[in-house]
Every structure is written in C-alpha cells, then in structure tokens.
Amino acid sequence: MKTPNSTPITATRLALRWTLAAVAVLVLAVAGVIIANRTLFSPSHEVKLLQRYLADGDGAKALGLMKAQVPEGDAVALNGEVLKRTQSGITDFSVDKPQQVDRDSELRTVTAHYKATGVEQQSTYTLRHAGKSWLFFDQWEFEPSTLPSVKIKANTVNEVAVNEQKIPLVAGVSNLPVFYPSVLDASFSTKNFSADTRGVVVTKPAKDPVEISLKTQPTKAFVAAINTQVKKYLDGCASQQVLMPSGCPFAYNTSARVDSSTINWDITNYPTIDVSYYNGAWVLSPLKTTATLTLTEQDLRTGAKEKKTIKDTYSFTADLTTSTSEVSVVPVAGGEQVAQ
C-alpha cells in the first residue's frame, strides 16, 4: 500500500539522479576538453604532425605547417619520393613535453628525440600560441624560420646521386634546401670516375649549409684505358728498327756501324700507371719503362762485328684529356707531345 509521500520522494530521487548524471557528463566533457587540449591541440602534436607529413613525402603540407622560408637551390629533397628517402633513416621518433620559453611568453619549445641511421639525435622546435578555436582548444603555430640546406661538392662530374636521385651540378656544386630532421647520402659512379657514398644528418636550421664533399677516385676501367694507350705507344716505339725511335723516350748512341736489320727493341717492363687530381685536372705521374735493345755493331776500323744486348730504363711523361666516359693519352718525349 503506497504512502501519501511516495510519489514526491520518487520524483525527487529521479531528479537527483538526473542531476548527478548531468554533472558526471559535464565533468567528463571538461576532462575530455582538457585531455584533447593537451594532446590533439598541443605544441607536441604539431611536431608529431610535421614528422608525419615528412615521412609521407608531403612537403607542401609540411612547409605550410612550418611557415618556413626556402633558401635558394634545388628543391628535389623537399617533396615526394626523395623527401621520403631523407626520412627513411629516421626511426623511434618521440617528443618531450612543451617547455615555456619564459614565464610570460606565449612561446613553447618542443624537443624531439629519434634515431638517425641508428644514432641517437634530437631536434628542437619553437611554436607560438595563436589563440583558441571553438572557445576551448588552443592553437599553436611554428615560429617562422628558414630551412637548412646541404651543399654537395664534387669534381670531374656534372651530376651526382642524392638519395638515389640524380641532380645536376653547376661548377661542381649544388645546394639543396632540406627539412629537418633529414638524412642525405650522396655518391656518383661513371665509367671513369666514382665516389664512395658520403652521408650527413641535418638536425636543425643553420646559417651556413652543411657540406658533403665527394672525393673522386679513378675507376679501374679508367686506369686500364690509360695503360692500354701507354702500352700501344711503347709497342709502336719498339717496332721501329732504328737506334733513336721517332717520338719515343729511348735511344742508343754508338760510333760503330749498325745494320738496321739487326736492331730489335723489346719492352722489358711497362710503366706503372699512377693518376692523381691536381689543380683542376687529372694528371699522370712521370712514367718509367725498361727496354732491352739487341743489335750487331761493326767496328769501323777493324771491321769486326759484335752482337750486343743493352738494357736500360727510360723516363717520359704524358698529358691526359678526360671526361666521365673517355680518356686520351698524349705522350711527351723530348719536351714535345707525340701524336698517336
């Protein structure tokens, strides 16, 4: 049997429950706003978003987010596959909590930690508070900056490969604006010249470009081509049945009479080829060859004939004309170039 006050009591309890539920929803909503503001609308989130754009190769979004100036140069590393490759060595990316620059400042710094090709590195970003959206959520923007750049230097070639992408060189140099962090590897390989891969990790903006200087080395094919031409030249000298082969480094002097049919030159040792880069050109070190001469001499006074064998070492030089695929050797004997 219901009491007279049962209905009002039930209604009061129901109202209390609805009030408590509303308060709980409000508390959860406020907590959700606070959590979202600290995560999705925080300076750290902006840095994570930037790194996501870089990893995706979306340079346009990354540049728009950073509001950065792009220095002059080849922009090949700022978008697409090449940008992705600059990020492929970046792993284990994480960010610290934002740090206030000073007590009254709206600036925050965020330090990111990561591995670049397995080595621990870090980068620091500065962001500024830019108001609120939807009344609750903070907006953060990167402080305007200028992107760093990498200077690629190489001699003897007019293009190199940077992160698998061929880029042209002007007077042996190319400047590449890059995002940070970035890992860049440069190398080149042609028929005559090559350079081992050299890399650099860019972690922050810099007033001066980071430099990759490639050291050019002659290839085995280049040295072999020079060796072939030098041997051909010396074999041509040895084929001449005269005491002083024309345009050649070796000669024999005698006061006796010599029948030319008895003259025979033979190259005992060919030169060792040593090529170096000097004063903007490839040069060949002085060459030494050993030749053996056999001949029969006749004494002009007595008429007696004597078979002789003379072995001696002779020196000469040669000029090189080179390109990435061709090489020409011009021997110099007696101070004059010898036509081949």
Side-chain angles (χ1 to χ4, degrees), residues 5-308:
N5 295 328
S6 62
T7 299
I9 291 174
T10 302
T12 300
R13 288 177 178 176
L14 185 61
L16 179 59
R17 288 173 183 174
W18 278 107
T19 300
L20 293 174
V23 170
V25 169
L26 181 60
V27 169
L28 289 174
V30 170
V33 168
I34 294 173
I35 293 173
N37 202 41
R38 290 179 177 177
T39 55
L40 299 178
F41 297 90
S42 69
S44 298
H45 179 266
E46 296 298 296
V47 173
K48 290 180 181 178
L49 182 60
L50 171 63
Q51 187 59 28
R52 190 186 312 157
Y53 289 154
L54 297 182
D56 290 342
D58 197 336
K61 287 184 179 178
L63 198 59
L65 186 66
M66 290 188 74
K67 295 180 172 59
Q69 296 292 318
V70 179
E72 292 185 4
D74 190 330
V76 66
L78 294 182
N79 200 46
E81 289 301 317
V82 181
L83 174 56
K84 284 184 181 181
R85 293 178 198 134
T86 68
Q87 301 301 306
S88 61
I90 306 298
T91 58
D92 301 333
F93 192 91
S94 63
V95 295
D96 291 341
K97 291 182 179 180
Q99 300 295 316
Q100 192 168 6
V101 174
D102 55 57
R103 187 169 59 182
D104 299 323
S105 175
E106 293 189 336
L107 295 177
R108 300 290 187 275
T109 59
V110 177
T111 299
H113 301 271
Y114 50 88
K115 290 181 180 179
T117 61
V119 179
E120 297 284 353
Q121 300 281 2
Q122 67 179 44
S123 297
T124 300
Y125 307 82
T126 302
L127 296 93
R128 179 180 295 274
H129 190 254
K132 292 182 178 290
S133 63
W134 300 97
L135 300 177
F136 303 108
F137 302 113
D138 290 317
Q139 296 294 302
W140 296 93
E141 295 180 351
F142 284 86
E143 276 285 270
S145 61
T146 300
L147 292 180
S149 61
V150 175
K151 178 184 285 187
I152 312 291
K153 297 175 64 178
N155 51 27
T156 74
V157 293
N158 53 20
E159 71 174 17
V160 298
V162 177
N163 291 53
E164 303 177 34
Q165 175 68 40
K166 290 185 177 180
I167 63 167
L169 302 181
V170 178
V173 175
S174 182
N175 285 301
L176 276 67
V178 296
F179 289 102
Y180 63 96
S182 284
V183 178
L184 276 81
D185 294 309
S187 64
F188 67 83
S189 179
T190 66
K191 179 181 177 181
N192 285 343
F193 309 108
S194 65
D196 292 337
T197 300
R198 294 197 62 187
V200 67
V201 178
V202 182
T203 62
K204 60 184 178 181
K207 182 178 180 181
D208 298 319
V210 180
E211 187 172 297
I212 298 179
S213 184
L214 296 176
K215 184 179 180 181
T216 304
Q217 297 289 349
T219 63
K220 291 182 179 179
F222 180 67
V223 175
I226 296 173
N227 196 47
T228 297
Q229 293 184 49
V230 170
K231 282 186 175 182
K232 181 180 179 182
Y233 160 69
L234 291 175
D235 289 343
C237 290
S239 68
Q240 300 180 44
Q241 286 189 295
V242 294
L243 297 179
M244 295 183 181
S246 177
C248 298
F250 38 81
Y252 177 69
N253 294 302
T254 180
S255 58
R257 178 180 292 148
V258 178
D259 183 351
S260 62
S261 64
T262 68
I263 297 173
N264 182 62
W265 289 97
D266 183 62
I267 307 301
T268 307
N269 291 309
Y270 288 96
T272 299
I273 304 302
D274 183 15
V275 185
S276 59
Y277 194 76
Y278 175 74
N279 199 26
W282 287 98
V283 295
L284 198 55
S285 296
L287 302 165
K288 288 185 177 182
T289 184
T290 302
T292 301
L293 170 64
T294 58
L295 77 166
T296 300
E297 292 184 345
Q298 185 178 26
D299 190 291
L300 294 177
R301 185 169 56 85
T302 64
K305 292 183 179 181
E306 181 184 3
K307 188 174 181 179
K308 285 188 174 182

